[in-house]
Amino acid sequence: MSICSSLARKFPKLTIIGEEDLPPEEVDQELIEDGQWEEILKQPCPSQYSAIKEEDLVVWVDPLDGTKEYTEGLLDNVTVLIGIAYEGKAIAGIINQPYYNYQNNEKQKLREHRNEAKAGPDAVLGRTIWGVLGLGAFGFQLKEVPAGKHIITTTRSHSNKLVTDCVSAMNPDDVLRVGGAGNKIIQLIEGKASAYVFASPGCKKWDTCAPEVILHAVGGKLTDIHGNALQYNKEVKHMNSAGVLATLRNYDYYASRVPESVKNALVP
């Protein structure tokens, strides 16, 4: 309610498409955010976007990505995703991790409670990663998986035979099973995984729009399992029915290993 209502009030001509039903006209004033992050406004707008009209933008919102993990207390899997698309292409995105550092934060609170507060980096709870094509991506340290290592990140709670067949075909050194599309893209840009492989329908446009931008802004690539770019215009179907394949580097290595049986089973 807060995200969609705040955006709609400030930018009334936007098309906003969310995982949850859009809120009614009347929303509690406490939920309206009308501030701006000055740090971002100091950045130059990429010239190719300087003449965009508000009504030409589509905003894809997932207020809680990694819902199942959230209910199980796996809070580091949880993200808030806001992606902005123009002419069907994802061009700007925000991944907020509200519980980033929550384990360190809890330990620190415990120490303070016991009067054992130690000097050291404060465990600040939460962080925001954001990016714009043509400008870059910010809020994290870019890191790559060591050369020659093939570490796959895939679904934790939505697996099936297609998913596992496709992962096996990559000959991975390791497989990580975590929740949330936003969380998996963060694993790619922070060097914890080399490819995100999800050979199944199930994830939606609001799961991929924002993360795709962050990945593309640092030279990565996200497509469906056939290698097609995802489309984000307002008329598009919400389901990514041909799955997701994403990498920071070496996209062709992984794309070339997707089995034909998997491609045949997933129709765009």
Side-chain angles (χ1 to χ4, degrees):
M1 288 174 77
S2 178
I3 292 167
C4 295
S5 301
S6 300
L7 284 171
R9 189 167 290 198
K10 194 152 196 168
F11 306 104
K13 295 175 185 169
L14 283 181
T15 297
I16 302 170
I17 304 174
E19 175 165 32
E20 310 301 332
D21 291 336
L22 295 187
E25 289 297 306
E26 284 308 309
V27 169
D28 187 338
Q29 190 57 36
E30 282 187 4
L31 287 174
I32 300 296
E33 172 57 64
D34 58 5
Q36 299 181 132
W37 195 7
E38 298 303 325
E39 285 301 305
I40 291 183
L41 295 180
K42 289 175 188 167
Q43 301 277 358
C45 177
S47 57
Q48 67 265 37
Y49 305 135
S50 57
I52 285 182
K53 294 187 174 67
E54 191 179 304
E55 56 265 36
D56 295 335
L57 294 173
V58 182
V59 181
W60 294 87
V61 178
D62 188 344
L64 202 164
D65 182 40
T67 315
K68 189 166 192 302
E69 286 68 29
Y70 178 67
T71 65
E72 294 172 23
L74 298 168
L75 301 182
D76 45 357
N77 288 219
V78 174
T79 59
V80 180
L81 304 174
I82 306 174
I84 302 172
Y86 173 63
E87 294 183 339
K89 184 179 177 183
I91 64 164
I94 297 151
I95 304 178
N96 174 266
Q97 279 184 297
Y99 302 106
Y100 177 70
N101 242 341
Y102 82 103
Q103 284 151 321
N104 292 335
N105 193 267
E106 291 298 317
K107 285 176 194 159
Q108 187 166 311
K109 280 186 187 155
L110 198 60
R111 283 203 297 266
E112 285 167 1
H113 183 64
R114 295 178 183 153
N115 295 322
E116 297 173 8
K118 293 187 172 78
D122 283 345
V124 176
L125 186 64
R127 67 169 170 175
T128 298
I129 292 169
W130 65 279
V132 181
L133 295 190
L135 181 63
F138 307 88
F140 65 98
Q141 282 298 120
L142 184 65
K143 196 175 171 201
E144 295 184 26
V145 168
K149 287 284 267 188
H150 300 294
I151 302 170
I152 306 290
T153 184
T154 191
T155 184
R156 175 179 169 273
S157 50
H158 304 286
S159 198
N160 59 37
K161 186 175 185 305
L162 273 185
V163 171
T164 52
D165 285 354
C166 195
V167 168
S168 300
M170 306 287 165
N171 294 329
D173 297 305
D174 197 6
V175 179
L176 311 175
R177 291 182 173 83
V178 301
N183 183 36
K184 293 182 190 71
I185 296 300
I186 290 171
Q187 289 187 313
L188 297 183
I189 61 177
E190 293 196 321
K192 295 185 177 77
S194 38
Y196 165 23
V197 180
F198 184 53
S200 177
C203 94
K204 311 279 200 313
K205 294 291 190 293
W206 45 72
D207 294 313
T208 52
C209 187
E212 174 182 320
V213 175
I214 308 296
L215 189 60
H216 286 177
V218 293
K221 187 169 181 177
L222 184 149
T223 67
D224 71 12
I225 220 77
H226 300 269
N228 303 315
L230 300 183
Q231 296 297 313
Y232 295 98
N233 43 298
K234 61 186 172 192
E235 298 82 17
V236 82
K237 64 178 179 181
H238 297 166
M239 180 79 75
N240 290 321
S241 53
V244 176
L245 175 64
T247 68
L248 178 60
R249 305 285 178 258
N250 305 320
Y251 172 88
D252 291 343
Y253 170 90
Y254 297 97
S256 68
R257 282 164 174 73
V258 176
E260 285 304 312
S261 58
V262 169
K263 289 182 180 176
N264 293 339
L266 293 175
V267 180

